[in-house]
Amino acid sequence: MAGIDGGRPDGARLASRPVGDGDGERHPGRRLRWSGLGAAPSARPRPPPFKLRDIVLLLGGAATTPLAVGAGYIALHTLVGLFPWSDFAGALLQYWVGEVIGIAVLTPVVLVTLRGTLPRASWRGGAELAVYGLLIGITLWLDFGPLASAQYEHFYLLFLPAVAVAVRHGLAGAALASAATQGGLIVAIQVTGVETARTTHFQLLMLTLAVTALLLGAVVSERRRVEAMIRDRQSALDRVSRLTEAGGMAAALAHELNQPLSATMSYARAARKIARLEQASPRLGEILDKTVIQAERADRVIRSLRDFVRKGHSNPAPLSVAALIADCLVLATPVAGQHAVSIQAEISPGLPAVSGDAVQLQQVLLNLVRNAAEAMDTPDPRSRRIVVFAHPDTEAGFVAVGVRDSGPGLSDVVERNLFAPFVTTKATGMGLGLSIAHSIVEAHGGTLTGERRPHGETVFRFTLPVHDAGPNHETGINSDDA
């Protein structure tokens, strides 16, 4: 593993990668990415769906506005002598019905099209559309074909396909069904030569059909939206419940591990003392020293995790970013050797001390490096390179720390569930690493973000607040100091 070398920061493009807990939240070719504190920033927020109230307001506006405009319009023509006052009501009714049916049929189609809520195109959808079109054609043939009567008493059959589409596809389907039926009705009237006196009659029937289909579709869509919201809330409650149980298990596990770990440290210290008294091999003494150091570190990690789970916050203290990264690189030496990766550091000189819990932040950074190493599956070991960086953040009062790797990049499928607890890509993983890391970074007052580079590289970064104790600055380190 390469040591720490003094390099310039990678500028605004630097970011940090997600934290794993050894559960395999990231896997070669299927890597997860932090995207701020919520959904991925690349996702465009979708406009809110139409509700039943919106459709009622639309229909109400479509009914009142043409009535006021039509009254003035017909009155003006009547005053100039184009119509007798006795025909005012009939002319106004024809004008009003024509305008309302146009608004009620075309406006919903335009709105659902602009909102992007139309049913997705597919072979199955095309076949279903053909069936609905055939039903509309058959009902129009029964009303206007050779078997139709002069009373057009089979018009109610047109409600069947419109209602079926509204129930199946909600408001979007109802809007399309109403427009298709209206278009077919216009064609049928023109082809069969229906007398003009009956046109208003058909328009009133079509208006009734359009209003019925739109209201039914709006009810269906709103019910589905409420059901989806209830499922999401229930899923969120289930996740919170599982996290609560996991927190209790973590606290109990930390308590149970503390005693055997203390005994292990005692035995290791005793063995080291005996080895020194009996002048054993220096190699044995070195191994025992490392055993004691790692056991003590494990004890600090367990105590810190237990305190964090119980209290929900950390114990901030002034920390040197360079020292934090140097300790992480030392601890990551086995990981680098196991995965044949090169780990380097790029630390800006003169970084101020940050405020945080050393043990928790060390675990966050170490897991970032471990996830990066596990994610790289390139056949050429020379291209397996991990860079741990630190530089002043663009936001004043913060320092950015992160990891950049040369791996294959992130999977679009996996990153949609990044922040959900118990999400993992390994069969033996629990999927709690990302959730715990997110909580740790937020508890320190920072944020965790991620970026996927165009050529497949992944960068993750988290920010830490500068310590308030004063200008405690550190100098940059180079590879000779590692």
Side-chain angles (χ1 to χ4, degrees):
M1 178 186 71
I4 303 177
D5 56 24
R8 60 183 179 85
D10 199 19
R13 298 181 65 192
L14 293 180
S16 72
R17 31 182 342 160
V19 181
D21 58 356
D23 298 335
E25 279 80 355
R26 299 182 49 224
H27 190 270
R30 298 183 61 195
R31 294 168 24 177
L32 304 182
R33 160 166 91 90
W34 287 106
S35 300
L37 298 180
S42 59
R44 294 179 57 188
R46 299 191 63 178
F50 290 108
K51 299 180 180 179
L52 178 62
R53 176 175 175 270
D54 301 327
I55 301 302
V56 172
L57 291 176
L58 172 64
L59 295 176
T64 56
T65 303
L67 182 63
V69 174
Y73 180 78
I74 301 301
L76 180 62
H77 284 72
T78 304
L79 288 175
V80 299
L82 295 179
F83 301 109
W85 285 103
S86 58
D87 294 341
F88 178 83
L92 179 60
L93 177 62
Q94 292 181 10
Y95 177 91
W96 179 80
V97 171
E99 295 296 321
V100 172
I101 191 62
I103 296 174
V105 171
L106 296 181
T107 303
V109 175
V110 175
L111 292 178
V112 297
T113 302
L114 295 178
R115 289 289 184 96
T117 56
L118 292 175
R120 295 181 179 179
S122 63
W123 289 106
R124 181 178 178 181
E128 187 176 355
L129 180 64
V131 171
Y132 288 134
L134 180 62
L135 290 177
I136 294 175
I138 292 175
T139 54
L140 289 173
W141 181 80
L142 291 176
D143 271 325
F144 296 93
L147 302 180
S149 64
Q151 302 300 322
Y152 301 101
E153 65 270 13
H154 299 302
F155 189 89
Y156 66 91
L157 294 176
L158 287 173
F159 282 80
L160 296 180
V163 170
V165 176
V167 172
R168 178 73 174 84
H169 296 287
L171 180 59
L176 294 178
S178 297
T181 306
Q182 173 73 3
L185 184 61
I186 293 174
V187 172
I189 291 176
Q190 295 296 325
V191 170
T192 58
V194 176
E195 58 272 18
T196 306
R198 299 188 64 92
T199 302
T200 303
H201 171 72
F202 283 112
Q203 287 180 328
L204 286 173
L205 292 175
M206 187 58 216
L207 178 60
T208 304
L209 188 151
V211 171
T212 302
L214 289 177
L215 292 178
L216 178 60
V219 170
V220 171
S221 295
E222 187 164 354
R223 178 173 180 177
R224 291 176 179 174
R225 181 180 60 83
V226 172
E227 290 176 350
M229 182 179 65
I230 293 175
R231 287 194 299 269
D232 292 340
R233 295 286 178 86
Q234 186 63 45
S235 178
L237 290 175
D238 292 341
R239 289 197 297 269
V240 171
S241 176
R242 289 193 292 173
L243 283 176
T244 303
E245 295 177 1
M249 292 172 58
L253 185 61
H255 176 74
E256 293 297 329
L257 289 177
N258 187 56
Q259 293 181 355
L261 186 58
S262 299
T264 301
M265 287 191 296
S266 298
Y267 285 127
R269 289 167 180 164
R272 180 177 60 179
K273 185 175 182 180
I274 293 174
R276 290 175 179 175
L277 291 176
E278 296 182 357
Q279 297 181 350
S281 169
R283 180 62 176 168
L284 176 60
E286 180 182 354
I287 293 175
L288 291 174
D289 289 339
K290 291 182 178 180
T291 302
V292 172
I293 292 174
Q294 293 300 322
E296 291 174 347
R297 175 178 172 272
D299 179 66
R300 291 194 301 270
V301 170
I302 290 178
R303 290 180 183 274
S304 177
L305 177 61
R306 182 178 59 186
D307 293 340
F308 179 76
V309 170
R310 287 180 176 178
K311 302 176 183 178
H313 59 80
S314 57
N315 298 317
L319 300 174
S320 166
V321 177
L324 181 70
I325 293 178
D327 292 341
C328 174
L329 295 184
V330 172
L331 296 172
T333 303
V335 176
Q338 179 182 359
H339 296 280
V341 298
S342 170
I343 306 180
Q344 298 178 345
E346 295 178 356
I347 305 175
S348 295
L351 286 178
V354 297
S355 179
D357 185 292
V359 176
Q360 293 181 8
L361 294 177
Q362 191 179 81
Q363 288 302 304
V364 170
L365 194 55
L366 180 60
N367 281 321
L368 288 173
V369 174
R370 180 185 298 115
N371 287 338
E374 292 176 350
M376 287 188 289
D377 57 354
T378 56
D380 186 5
R382 293 175 297 180
S383 62
R384 299 176 186 174
R385 183 171 180 265
I386 298 175
V387 176
V388 182
F389 63 84
H391 62 86
D393 190 45
T394 54
E395 182 179 359
F398 285 85
V399 173
V401 183
V403 176
R404 180 175 71 252
D405 69 69
S406 57
L410 301 170
S411 168
D412 293 332
V413 176
V414 178
E415 68 178 294
R416 287 199 293 265
N417 299 312
L418 259 183
F419 295 96
F422 307 101
V423 173
T424 179
T425 57
K426 284 188 177 180
T428 58
M430 293 183 61
L432 290 174
L434 294 176
S435 179
I436 293 174
H438 188 207
S439 301
I440 290 175
V441 173
E442 281 195 332
H444 282 76
T447 58
L448 191 57
T449 59
E451 176 189 6
R452 175 170 51 182
R453 297 289 177 81
H455 300 292
E457 293 184 350
T458 306
V459 181
F460 281 87
R461 65 190 295 271
F462 60 92
T463 58
L464 296 173
V466 174
H467 188 62
D468 298 331
N472 182 8
H473 284 65
E474 68 190 47
T475 58
I477 350 180
N478 54 42
S479 58
D480 297 333
D481 300 325

